[in-house]
Amino acid sequence: VFLQEGVNVTNDESAPSFTPDGNSVYMSDHNTICFSKKLNGKWTKPVTIAISGKWKDWDATLSPDGKRMIFVSNRPLDGMPQDKPQPKAHLWYADALPNNGWTQPRHIDGPVNLEGLNDFAPSISKKGSLCFCSRGRDGNKSMCAYYAKWLGDHFDKPKRLVLNGDNDTFDPYLSPDESYIIFASEKALFISYRKGEDWTAGEKLGEKVNVPGSQNGGPYVSPDGKILYYSSSLTDGILMIPVNIPHKK
């Protein structure tokens, strides 16, 4: 279990997201984005970052270069009353400043965020393209994974990824080089590999991760590609396990 200094019990933490050097981590605890650093081999007690704490913020993830954070929030949009949350969860971003600071969050506009729809569990590649999950988009009643290609100054229309047939698909983690996606479906974690402009049908991970009787979610792979972090119904907090992910072609 991934724990930080001064934390004796596991918290309501989402998947972690590390800076490129692996020495700083961001995660969401009780709908607040927190930050921790590794000092002398130990992780400091998480503290709330300046741009979080007023509204519900969760599923925070860093771009592979650590310069941008994307997260889910119910904070109000521009033009809305600023004293109450918006009814839907949308994706927002902030850019890194010196000394672990962040710019004021900005809303990711359509075609990613759409009025009346929730978006969850973002992840971002080196190219700036985005994966997330959403229900009710384009007439799809199930929870589906989507891929939105970055076109240099805006996102293309999100494309549904059929990773496990018609089953609900949650928490798609897009690898930095877009060679694979790890996602949750049917209470288990699966991996899907890039094939041309699409991804293959998901393969269920082994029983060291998908322990019989467990329900897993929130996958994230460390910047060096060697550790898989995820949540499980078998324990509180974030689990971690060494992995060796092959790059299939």
Side-chain angles (χ1 to χ4, degrees), residues 44-144:
T44 60
K45 186 175 182 179
V47 295
T48 301
I49 64 174
I51 61 172
S52 189
K54 181 176 182 181
W55 309 104
K56 291 182 178 180
D57 302 321
W58 69 101
D59 285 352
T61 188
L62 296 179
S63 59
D65 62 8
K67 294 181 179 180
R68 175 161 289 187
M69 177 191 296
I70 297 180
F71 59 97
V72 180
S73 181
N74 71 344
R75 59 186 62 213
L77 304 176
D78 291 341
M80 292 178 60
Q82 296 297 297
D83 58 347
K84 58 183 180 181
Q86 66 160 321
K88 296 297 181 180
H90 278 188
L91 303 184
W92 294 70
Y93 75 90
D95 291 324
L97 295 171
N99 301 315
N100 305 312
W102 295 93
T103 61
Q104 283 301 306
R106 298 186 64 179
H107 184 254
I108 298 177
D109 294 329
V112 174
N113 287 316
L114 298 177
E115 184 177 357
L117 296 180
N118 291 306
D119 297 322
F120 304 109
S123 59
I124 187 168
S125 72
K126 290 180 180 179
K127 295 179 179 179
S129 297
L130 185 67
C131 265
F132 63 97
C133 60
S134 183
R135 188 186 301 274
R137 185 180 289 260
D138 297 329
N140 295 308
K141 294 182 180 180
S142 59
M143 182 68 80
C144 299

Side-chain angles (χ1 to χ4, degrees), residues 11-24:
N11 295 323
D12 176 33
E13 297 170 328
S14 67
S17 189
F18 292 85
T19 52
D21 62 8
N23 290 325
S24 300

